[in-house]
Amino acid sequence: MVIIIRTDLKMGRGKIASQTAHAAVLLYKSSIENSNPHLKTWLNYGQPKVVLKIDSNCESDMKNIYNLALKNNLNSCIVRDAGKTQVGIGTLTAVGIGPNRADEIDKITNGFKLL
Amino acid sequence: MVIIIRTDLKMGRGKIASQTAHAAVLLYKSSIENSNPHLKTWLNYGQPKVVLKIDSNCESDMKNIYNLALKNNLNSCIVRDAGKTQVGIGTLTAVGIGPNRADEIDKITNGFKLL
């Protein structure tokens, strides 16, 4: 499971943590609902979560990652914040991918660095 | 849902984010398994996640929070890290509580500040 966080929003570490958690729960929830065949392996091997960063103020960059993941048959989600603190309502703060095979995710997230 | 993160470990923001996500998924998973009656409301109202901090290097402080939550019939989890980066294997990094009624969680987390 990989979660990509926008750094241009200058969110504090608590806010970043909550956005990452939003993405992780969304991915886990959709994996159950869609019978993601990679879920069981992920659960049994420490439920790894890798947090990456993207320095882009352009929502379409985030949407492109999301759409590319879907196109490659990977489980994916977009996080839009409720806008109660730090960012405006509906702001796209994160994109999540997985659980899927690491090499399949890497094809999409290869260019991004660890947060 | 409230997640309390240890600050004495000096984890980076990415590490904090992954520990928070671990806690959120564990809480969501156990809520499904235990038919937590508060889960549906939480899902329907934005799945709020509040991230707090505790400045303690004593694992028993974290365990006390966890045990107090269980004693009060709240859903709770402890996060132990796999120890691949930044902290030693098995380090207790976070405690999560919820989803439960906010006033019930507040009784336990009242003394902690936002991360």
Side-chain angles (χ1 to χ4, degrees):
Chain A
M1 182 183 285
V2 171
I3 294 146
I4 307 170
I5 294 285
R6 268 175 73 181
T7 55
D8 66 292
L9 297 171
K10 310 293 182 197
M11 296 181 284
R13 60 184 182 173
K15 185 78 177 175
I16 288 172
S18 64
Q19 303 308 303
T20 306
H22 287 326
V25 170
L26 288 173
L27 291 173
Y28 179 69
K29 186 170 181 287
S30 61
S31 288
I32 295 171
E33 290 164 358
N34 302 326
S35 303
N36 180 346
H38 303 280
L39 183 60
K40 194 173 176 184
T41 305
W42 180 79
L43 285 172
N44 290 342
Y45 288 90
Q47 311 174 23
K49 297 166 190 82
V50 176
V51 187
L52 305 178
K53 61 183 173 182
I54 179 171
D55 183 20
S56 164
N57 62 2
C58 187
E59 290 211 347
S60 64
D61 289 342
M62 305 290 278
K63 287 181 190 164
N64 286 343
I65 298 167
Y66 172 69
N67 288 324
L68 191 58
L70 294 182
K71 196 177 168 185
N72 282 270
N73 297 314
L74 304 182
N75 189 43
S76 189
C77 74
I78 271 179
V79 177
R80 286 194 180 277
D81 193 64
K84 289 182 185 168
T85 62
Q86 298 189 35
V87 301
I89 187 166
T91 303
L92 203 167
T93 56
V95 174
I97 306 174
N100 287 99
R101 274 176 43 187
D103 60 336
E104 295 286 341
I105 300 179
D106 284 349
K107 284 179 191 167
I108 294 169
T109 61
N110 200 25
F112 302 102
K113 293 186 176 171
L114 287 171
L115 179 70
Chain B
M1 183 183 284
V2 171
I3 294 145
I4 306 169
I5 295 284
R6 268 175 74 180
T7 55
D8 66 292
L9 296 171
K10 309 293 181 198
M11 296 181 284
R13 60 185 182 173
K15 186 77 178 177
I16 288 172
S18 64
Q19 302 308 303
T20 306
H22 287 325
V25 170
L26 288 174
L27 291 174
Y28 179 70
K29 186 170 181 287
S30 61
S31 288
I32 294 171
E33 290 165 356
N34 301 327
S35 303
N36 180 346
H38 303 280
L39 182 61
K40 194 174 176 184
T41 305
W42 180 79
L43 285 171
N44 290 341
Y45 288 90
Q47 311 175 23
K49 298 167 190 81
V50 176
V51 187
L52 305 177
K53 61 183 172 182
I54 180 171
D55 183 20
S56 164
N57 62 2
C58 187
E59 290 211 347
S60 64
D61 289 342
M62 306 290 278
K63 287 181 190 165
N64 286 344
I65 298 167
Y66 171 68
N67 287 324
L68 191 58
L70 294 182
K71 197 176 168 186
N72 283 269
N73 297 313
L74 305 180
N75 189 42
S76 188
C77 74
I78 271 178
V79 177
R80 287 194 178 279
D81 194 66
K84 289 180 183 167
T85 62
Q86 295 189 35
V87 300
I89 188 168
T91 303
L92 204 167
T93 57
V95 174
I97 306 174
N100 287 98
R101 275 177 42 187
D103 61 334
E104 295 286 341
I105 299 178
D106 284 350
K107 284 179 192 168
I108 294 168
T109 62
N110 200 26
F112 301 104
K113 293 185 177 172
L114 286 170
L115 181 70

